[in-house]
């Protein structure tokens, strides 16, 4: 049966005879579903680079906003997604949220076939791609219920860690699939001709070559369609008092999910309307994006609370975490770690292309940044390595924290991130003023690998701290909340890079991030590394 009305993973006999097999089946269907979620969410980081290489009629700063829009909606959708399993059941939740990814995947493939597609179409598709970002909260919540406490760490680590590899998988697979007409026989469109050199995992691709950019969207249908069947026939709802006490029908569950996602989309659109006035509203006013992000968070939380019945009751119980000061402290620290990881993953490919793919030369006394650099590195060849390291090293952060304490490991990560951010800023400044920026690429790239590695270790250490600082009934909601807040890094970092590149000062972005990391260093020390603090080195 798909609905489990008895679930007792802490009972050793039940676990060994029945529970273990069911739990593992749900986990190994959940992992590729979450991987696809991350891939569709982050695919604009690669698509925007290839749009630039093909000569789509948009500026680099405009293309940065596509990854930023997907980042903002994905972060916002994590807030309602945190409550889906409790209200709607895990099977229904994972089925619908994974199946919905087919819409941006198919739509993106269709829209990319024509360079005259209006920019607002790409903005809408990027917004819908945020569904993949929201899936993380629902997926983690669902898997946590299947396993006994002594095995939850491993199960959640596999789900989150392998799910995060969706970023790397996308940055490897999308450039490879762009090199051949994988879907041509199915009406997948004609190739376009590269105006600038591109690349893949295995090397560069010369200008003048054919590329099938639309495959960046179509590719995910190969996984999402069979996954939808696997989820429907292979996963389970846990219909118990502790997990989903009042399980609606499939149609009822889908209606609740779509209603709560609609609230997240509405607050995201309003926020983007305020943050991106030139592209979105043409009104000429601008509100600081930091303030707007706070407003989006609280508007989403309060709008969900207005919903009637079981939704409101469940949310009121969860909202008690906001009375705990450590919720806010850990939110800031997780922005430093996961926010940096996901934000730089979104911005890194296009940053490489814009800074090192062009020669920066003086023309009539004015510095220009539009001359293609024939010796520039291919962003699509190198970009995948950094998030791969960040995802791979995440479990090491948890292991080190078990030995030395989570706060101490987080402090070391903050020091490394400050140093790397300032080092990257230095080489970005040199490269963006040079006719031969490729000479600065390797030190810039190696420093960024260090930045991703430190953020990955920090992801593990901050989760360790949360597990120690909060009581068990609050740890889960706090993990969901902090993951939603930190995911706004996927909006903020590409947006800041786009603004600073437009101003011809990309290094300012990294200096600003270094200042924030220094603030986090002080916060972590004050709350968790002072001998007379409430907690010491949790």
């Amino acid at each position: 049966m798909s609905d489990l009305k008895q679930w007792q993973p802490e009972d050793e006999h039940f676990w060994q005879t029945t529970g273990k097999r069911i739990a593992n089946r749900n986990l190994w269907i959940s992992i590729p579903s979450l991987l696809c979620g991350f891939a569709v969410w982050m695919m604009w980081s690669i698509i925007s680079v290839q749009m630039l290489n093909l000569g789509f009629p948009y500026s680099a700063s405009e293309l940065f906003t596509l990854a930023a829009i997907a980042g903002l909606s994905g972060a916002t959708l994590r807030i309602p997604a945190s409550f889906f399993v409790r209200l709607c059941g895990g099977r229904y939740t994972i089925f619908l949220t994974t199946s919905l990814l087919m819409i941006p995947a198919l739509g993106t493939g269709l829209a990319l076939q024509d360079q005259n597609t209006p920019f607002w179409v790409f903005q809408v598709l990027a917004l819908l791609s945020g569904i993949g970002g929201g899936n993380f909260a629902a997926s983690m919540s669902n898997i946590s219920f299947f396993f006994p406490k002594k095995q939850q760490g491993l199960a959640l680590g596999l789900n989150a860690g392998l799910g995060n590899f969706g970023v790397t998988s996308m940055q490897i697979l999308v450039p490879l699939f762009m090199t051949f007409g994988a879907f041509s026989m199915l009406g997948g469109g004609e190739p376009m001709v590269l105006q600038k050199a591109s690349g893949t995992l295995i090397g560069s691709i010369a200008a003048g070559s054919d590329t099938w950019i639309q495959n960046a969207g179509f590719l995910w249908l190969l996984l999402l369609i069979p996954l939808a069947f696997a989820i429907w026939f292979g996963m389970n709802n846990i219909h118990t008092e502790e997990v989903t006490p009042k399980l609606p029908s499939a149609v009822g569950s889908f209606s609740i999910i779509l209603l709560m996602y609609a609230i997240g989309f509405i607050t995201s659109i309003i926020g983007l309307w305020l943050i991106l006035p030139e592209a979105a509203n043409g009104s000429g006013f601008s509100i600081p994006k930091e303030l707007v992000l706070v407003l989006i968070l609280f508007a989403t939380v309060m709008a969900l609370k207005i919903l009637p019945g079981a939704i409101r009751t469940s949310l009121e119980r969860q909202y008690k975490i906001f009375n705990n000061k450590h919720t806010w402290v850990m939110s800031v620290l997780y922005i430093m770690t996961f926010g940096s990881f996901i934000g730089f993953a979104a911005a890194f490919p296009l940053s490489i292309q814009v800074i090192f793919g062009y020669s920066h030369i003086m023309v009539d006394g004015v510095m220009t940044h539009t001359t293609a650099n024939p010796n520039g590195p291919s962003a699509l060849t190198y970009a995948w390595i950094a998030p791969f390291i960040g995802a791979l090293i995440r479990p090491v952060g948890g292991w080190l924290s078990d030995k030395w304490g989570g706060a101490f490991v987080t402090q070391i990560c903050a020091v490394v991130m400050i140093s790397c951010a300032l080092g990257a800023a230095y080489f970005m400044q040199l490269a963006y003023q040079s006719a031969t920026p490729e000479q600065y690429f390797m030190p810039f790239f190696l420093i960024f690998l260090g930045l991703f590695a430190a953020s990955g270790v920090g992801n593990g250490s901050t989760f360790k701290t949360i597990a120690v600082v909060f009581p068990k009934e609050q740890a889960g909601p706090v993990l969901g909340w902090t993951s939603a807040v930190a995911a706004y890094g996927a909006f903020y970092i590409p947006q800041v890079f786009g603004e600073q590149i437009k101003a011809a000062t990309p290094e300012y972005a990294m200096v600003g991030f270094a200042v924030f990391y220094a603030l986090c260093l002080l916060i972590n020390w004050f709350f968790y590394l002072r001998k007379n603090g409430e907690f010491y080195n949790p």
Side-chain angles (χ1 to χ4, degrees):
M1 283 181 61
S2 59
D3 295 343
L4 305 172
K5 296 186 178 179
Q6 179 190 8
W7 190 251
Q8 299 171 315
E10 302 299 337
D11 182 323
E12 184 66 21
H13 177 73
F14 173 84
W15 176 250
Q16 293 296 337
T17 58
T18 305
K20 185 177 181 179
R21 172 177 52 83
I22 295 173
N24 284 327
R25 186 180 69 237
N26 279 267
L27 173 64
W28 290 105
I29 297 174
S30 174
I31 287 171
S33 302
L34 183 56
L35 184 146
C36 285
F38 269 98
V40 172
W41 185 29
M42 289 285 106
M43 66 182 178
W44 294 98
S45 66
I46 295 297
I47 292 172
S48 57
V49 172
Q50 202 73 327
M51 291 171 77
L52 199 63
N53 291 334
L54 285 166
F56 274 70
Y58 313 119
S59 67
S61 60
E62 285 178 311
L63 291 173
F64 267 110
T65 66
L66 295 177
I69 289 168
L72 186 142
S73 67
T76 304
L77 294 180
R78 285 190 175 192
I79 300 172
S82 301
F83 309 108
F84 287 165
V85 174
R86 176 79 177 172
L87 297 167
C88 306
R91 171 173 169 253
Y92 293 156
T93 295
I94 306 302
F95 172 79
L96 182 61
T97 56
T98 302
S99 299
L100 286 172
L101 296 173
M102 297 180 200
I103 299 173
L106 177 62
T108 299
L110 295 173
L112 286 171
Q113 293 181 43
D114 185 0
Q115 292 197 16
N116 296 315
T117 299
F119 192 64
W120 67 263
V121 173
F122 293 117
Q123 290 177 313
V124 169
L125 290 166
L127 185 81
L128 293 173
S129 297
I131 294 169
N135 286 4
F136 178 84
S139 180
M140 293 294 280
S141 173
N142 183 51
I143 290 303
S144 69
F145 292 120
F146 276 96
F147 287 83
K149 287 184 173 61
K150 65 181 180 181
Q151 294 189 29
Q152 279 185 8
L154 175 61
L156 292 173
L158 286 170
N159 198 51
L162 296 178
N164 280 354
F165 273 111
V167 180
T168 299
S169 302
M170 178 276 299
Q171 293 183 340
I172 292 173
L173 291 175
V174 164
L176 288 172
F177 267 77
M178 287 180 182
T179 62
F180 64 101
F183 304 97
S184 296
M185 293 183 66
L186 301 174
E190 299 299 317
M192 298 180 187
V193 178
L194 286 169
Q195 293 186 10
K196 303 185 189 70
S198 183
T200 69
L201 168 72
I202 54 179
S204 61
I205 300 173
S209 303
D210 284 347
T211 192
W212 286 260
I213 188 174
Q214 63 269 29
N215 290 357
F218 292 146
L219 156 65
W220 304 108
L221 298 175
L222 295 178
L223 296 174
L224 290 169
I225 292 172
L227 269 174
F229 285 96
I231 294 166
W232 188 255
F233 293 106
M235 294 191 75
N236 303 92
N237 297 310
I238 302 179
H239 187 187
T240 66
E241 190 63 32
E242 298 78 19
V243 183
T244 310
K246 298 179 181 179
L247 180 65
S249 66
V251 173
S253 294
F254 296 163
S255 299
I256 292 171
I257 291 170
L258 292 173
L259 174 62
M260 294 176 71
Y261 259 173
I263 290 173
F265 276 124
I266 290 169
T267 55
S268 297
I269 291 168
I270 293 172
L272 289 166
W273 185 71
L274 294 171
I275 293 172
L276 307 172
E278 293 180 13
N281 63 29
S283 62
F285 71 86
S286 181
I287 299 175
K289 52 188 168 293
E290 296 83 1
L291 175 60
V292 175
L293 293 181
V294 173
L295 292 175
I296 293 171
L297 269 170
F298 283 97
T300 306
V301 166
M302 298 312 296
L304 289 170
K305 194 174 179 180
I306 294 172
L307 295 174
I311 301 175
R312 180 171 185 170
T313 303
S314 176
L315 292 178
E316 286 177 345
R317 186 166 56 251
Q318 304 279 2
Y319 285 1
K320 291 178 181 177
I321 63 172
F322 299 134
N323 296 326
N324 189 331
K325 65 184 177 185
H326 295 286
T327 299
W328 306 105
V329 175
M330 291 311 306
S331 295
V332 173
L333 295 179
Y334 201 51
I335 289 171
M336 176 183 73
T337 58
F338 180 76
S340 296
F341 168 80
I342 202 68
F344 286 128
F348 193 47
L350 193 56
S351 299
I352 293 174
Q353 186 69 16
V354 170
I355 295 171
F356 299 96
Y358 293 88
S359 295
H360 311 289
I361 55 179
M362 298 291 290
V363 177
D364 297 329
V366 178
M367 178 63 73
T368 64
H369 309 282
T370 56
T371 303
N373 177 14
N375 300 314
S378 169
L380 304 189
T381 301
Y382 290 95
W384 67 273
I385 300 173
F388 174 78
I389 288 175
L392 187 68
I393 206 169
R394 179 172 181 155
V396 176
W399 178 73
L400 291 173
S401 299
D402 288 338
K403 290 175 64 98
W404 296 335
F408 177 76
V409 174
T410 301
Q411 197 78 344
I412 298 300
C413 290
V415 172
V416 173
M417 292 176 75
I418 293 167
S419 303
C420 289
L422 292 175
Y426 173 72
F427 287 106
M428 289 167 76
Q429 181 182 29
L430 292 177
Y432 211 61
Q433 302 297 320
S434 173
T436 55
E438 67 275 7
Q439 65 183 307
Y440 304 110
F441 174 71
M442 196 48 65
F444 162 85
F445 180 68
L446 293 175
I447 286 171
F448 248 95
L449 294 187
L451 186 58
F452 269 91
S455 70
V457 171
N459 284 338
S461 64
T462 46
F463 263 41
K464 166 71 173 179
T465 300
I466 288 174
V468 175
V469 167
F470 292 90
K472 290 182 179 179
E473 66 271 15
Q474 288 194 351
V478 170
L479 286 172
W481 170 259
T482 54
S483 75
V485 174
Y488 281 104
F491 163 79
Y492 190 80
I493 289 177
Q495 182 65 14
V496 169
F497 266 120
E499 292 171 355
Q500 292 305 319
I501 282 174
K502 188 175 183 180
T505 53
E507 68 275 9
Y508 285 10
M510 297 307 298
V511 172
F513 298 142
V515 171
F516 172 67
Y517 300 151
L519 176 63
C520 292
L521 186 85
L522 293 174
I523 290 173
N524 187 56
W525 169 81
F526 182 82
F527 284 97
Y528 303 127
L529 285 176
R530 288 186 304 130
K531 286 289 178 68
N532 57 346
E534 183 181 355
F535 295 95
Y536 179 68
N537 197 20

